Amino acid sequence: MKFKTSGVCSRAIDFDVVDGKVVNVHFTGGCAGNTQGVAALIEGMDIDEAIKRMDGIKCGYKDTSCPDQLAKALKEYKKDNE
């Protein structure tokens, strides 16, 4: 799935979900080290656990963050695939 982000430095997030696990996460733009770290940590994680861990994380003064945007993307994926 490709998700267009909002309110963060990254422009988009691509990912797949296989057997309920989040895989192949790639951020376009953003802070390379942080987004690569988030992608590596989330690889193979259960989609619901990933949402639980990242939902609501803020970046500085912003109301969202790259991890929060990934949680939003995963929620959208779930809604569209239930």
Side-chain angles (χ1 to χ4, degrees):
M1 174 177 182
K2 184 171 193 87
F3 180 81
K4 185 174 176 1
T5 59
S6 176
V8 294
C9 299
S10 67
R11 296 179 304 279
I13 306 169
D14 294 284
F15 65 91
D16 297 311
V17 177
V18 177
D19 296 329
K21 308 289 184 193
V22 183
V23 295
N24 303 322
V25 178
H26 175 76
F27 289 81
T28 302
C31 304
N34 290 334
T35 56
Q36 288 176 36
V38 168
L41 289 169
I42 218 72
E43 182 73 21
M45 187 178 287
D46 178 79
I47 191 170
D48 292 322
E49 182 65 21
I51 292 168
K52 178 181 156 190
R53 289 183 183 208
M54 296 184 298
D55 191 32
I57 292 175
K58 296 181 180 186
C59 183
Y61 62 88
K62 298 176 184 178
D63 289 333
T64 189
S65 65
C66 290
D68 182 56
Q69 288 292 298
L70 180 52
K72 289 180 186 331
L74 295 172
K75 288 181 197 177
E76 184 175 302
Y77 172 88
K78 283 188 64 171
K79 183 183 79 169
D80 292 346
N81 291 282
E82 288 184 338

